[in-house]
Amino acid sequence: MKKIEFNLYNVKKVHFGFGKIKNLNQILNKNIKFNYLFIIDSFFKKKKVIKTIELKKKNKIFFIDTKNEPTTFGIDSLLKRVKKLRIKFHKVIGIGGGSTLDTAKAISNLLSNSGSSRKYQGWDLLKKKGIYKIGIPTISGTGAETSKTCVLIDYKSGKKLGMNSEYSVFDEIILDPDLTNTVNKNQFFYTACDTYIHCIESLNGSLRNPVADNYSNEALKLCREIFNSKNIKSKINRTKLMLASYYGGCAISSSMVGVIHPLSAALSVVFKFHHCISNCIAFKAAKEFYPLEFREFSKFVKKHKVYLPSKICQNLTKKQMDKLYYSTIIHSRPLKNALGKKFKKILTKKKVLQLFKSI
Ligand code: NAD
Ligand code: ZN
């Protein structure tokens, strides 16, 4: 039997179920002397759910525009605005999709660790635990609610890389499937596929462990039930997806993604595609590494009439080619997980560009 070895970092408190968003006011009222910093997707600016939050004087809300995914520059600018308030915040609360949850995690981390967010992109670089963080996802699939990373793009260096650290795990999460009702169908599918892709990459990799495998298998079972059903957004499917996303995030915390994520990250850096749609596009490029899973995924795309852009890498400039290659190959850990230590022999520049041209 292969040696079993892994480290697990879990969210401490989980509130799960329809209507659980109401628990937020109980949390706020428990410590009335605490100051809370809210980071909320701007989609919710005028929504009823936000109006019901009981705010005190020193609680502050920052609404986040998620048109672009979080960048190191954007996080550093937001941090400056938060610090300018000169308020000692006790808890940071993120309400939104993966972009907003990652922003909340990054701000929480940087309120305790000095310097730019760029300093902490990588593995185990944070020195101290951040401010107590609460995550409330409003779209399911990335697993950001349970994972130990917050992904940031640095356009200067061409890196799309997270602050991978035990300190990036939320302390508490509220999972309320009521909140995902308003997500449009294509977006719902793309983000749901992130769970599917995390789990198939994890199960096909070498850095596996029994806990991650179990989480992945359970998440995949739920994804298949959702994607094989008629209405992926039904009440029961939104509940199932919130569970699957939770499991997927737990799985990936102690295992690793594979070839799709590095290719997807490169597409995000060069063409600014959001993570989840980018994964769906990159899946096609990586189909030779996951042939059975790609066939199943294509069936789901067809069944639910999901829009996916194609032929985006037909007329690349030299600069774009260089960036696509560099931004893929920089992800050595997932690539080693999928292809072994000598992954660069398989993914030569010619091969990487050939994969991109195939989409
Ligand atoms: P997102 O946060 O980028 O949001 C996508 C769109 O959905 C936005 O337009 C947003 O306004 C909208 N939206 C969110 N909730 C909604 C709701 N309830 N109703 C209507 N619209 C809603 O979405 P995402 O796909 O969850 O997140 C992608 C981000 O997550 C990327 O930045 C990616 O890098 C990151 N990510 C992080 C991890 C992690 O472990 N930390 C893992 C995977 C991806
Ligand atoms: Zn992902």
Side-chain angles (χ1 to χ4, degrees), residues 40-41 44 66 94-103 136-140 142 144-145 170 191:
I40 304 177
D41 185 324
F44 290 97
T66 48
I95 307 179
S99 301
T100 311
L101 297 183
D102 280 0
T103 302
I136 308 178
T138 61
I139 175 170
S140 304
T142 64
E145 63 276 25
F170 278 113
T191 303

Side-chain angles (χ1 to χ4, degrees), residues 16 18 139-141 176-181 183 185 188-189 191-193 195 218-246 300 303-304:
F16 191 101
F18 276 91
I139 175 170
S140 304
D176 182 344
D178 236 355
L179 300 176
T180 63
N181 191 22
V183 179
K185 196 190 86 184
F188 190 91
F189 181 89
T191 303
C193 279
T195 293
E218 197 53 38
L220 281 178
K221 195 175 132 236
L222 289 165
C223 284
R224 288 184 173 121
E225 285 172 15
I226 298 163
F227 292 138
N228 280 317
S229 71
K230 238 186 189 167
N231 175 11
I232 55 172
K233 276 191 62 191
S234 69
K235 229 174 156 178
I236 181 71
N237 281 339
R238 280 187 281 123
T239 308
K240 284 181 180 177
L241 188 57
M242 212 154 234
L243 266 181
S245 178
Y246 174 91
F300 297 148
K303 178 176 169 72
H304 298 291

Side-chain angles (χ1 to χ4, degrees), residues 41-44 66-67 69-70 96-102 105 138-145 147-152 160 179-184 187 190-191 194 198 249 252 261 274-276 279:
D41 185 324
S42 55
F43 171 83
F44 290 97
T66 48
K67 210 164 89 212
E69 294 191 327
S99 301
T100 311
L101 297 183
D102 280 0
K105 287 186 186 189
T138 61
I139 175 170
S140 304
T142 64
E145 63 276 25
S147 76
K148 64 188 248 304
T149 188
C150 47
V151 186
L152 308 177
K160 184 178 185 193
L179 300 176
T180 63
N181 191 22
T182 43
V183 179
N184 92 42
Q187 183 65 54
Y190 304 144
T191 303
D194 203 21
H198 287 159
I252 224 64
H261 271 75
H274 272 221
H275 179 79
C276 300
N279 276 350

Side-chain angles (χ1 to χ4, degrees), residues 21 27 32 89 91 165 192 199 201 216 265 283 299 311:
I21 186 69
I27 296 169
I32 47 168
F89 288 108
K91 295 191 181 183
S165 161
C199 297
E201 285 183 299
S216 290
F283 206 165
K299 198 183 82 187
K311 296 187 179 155

Side-chain angles (χ1 to χ4, degrees), residues 117-136:
S117 53
R118 302 176 78 198
K119 228 170 103 180
Y120 303 105
Q121 281 181 294
W123 273 266
D124 302 316
L125 300 171
L126 291 162
K127 300 275 181 288
K128 292 185 200 157
K129 188 172 167 30
I131 309 292
Y132 189 97
K133 28 187 168 286
I134 301 175
I136 308 178

Side-chain angles (χ1 to χ4, degrees), residues 17-25 49 52 95 136 174 176 179:
F18 276 91
K20 287 285 178 184
I21 186 69
K22 287 195 188 114
N23 289 16
L24 181 58
N25 281 331
V49 63
T52 58
I95 307 179
I136 308 178
I174 299 178
D176 182 344
L179 300 176

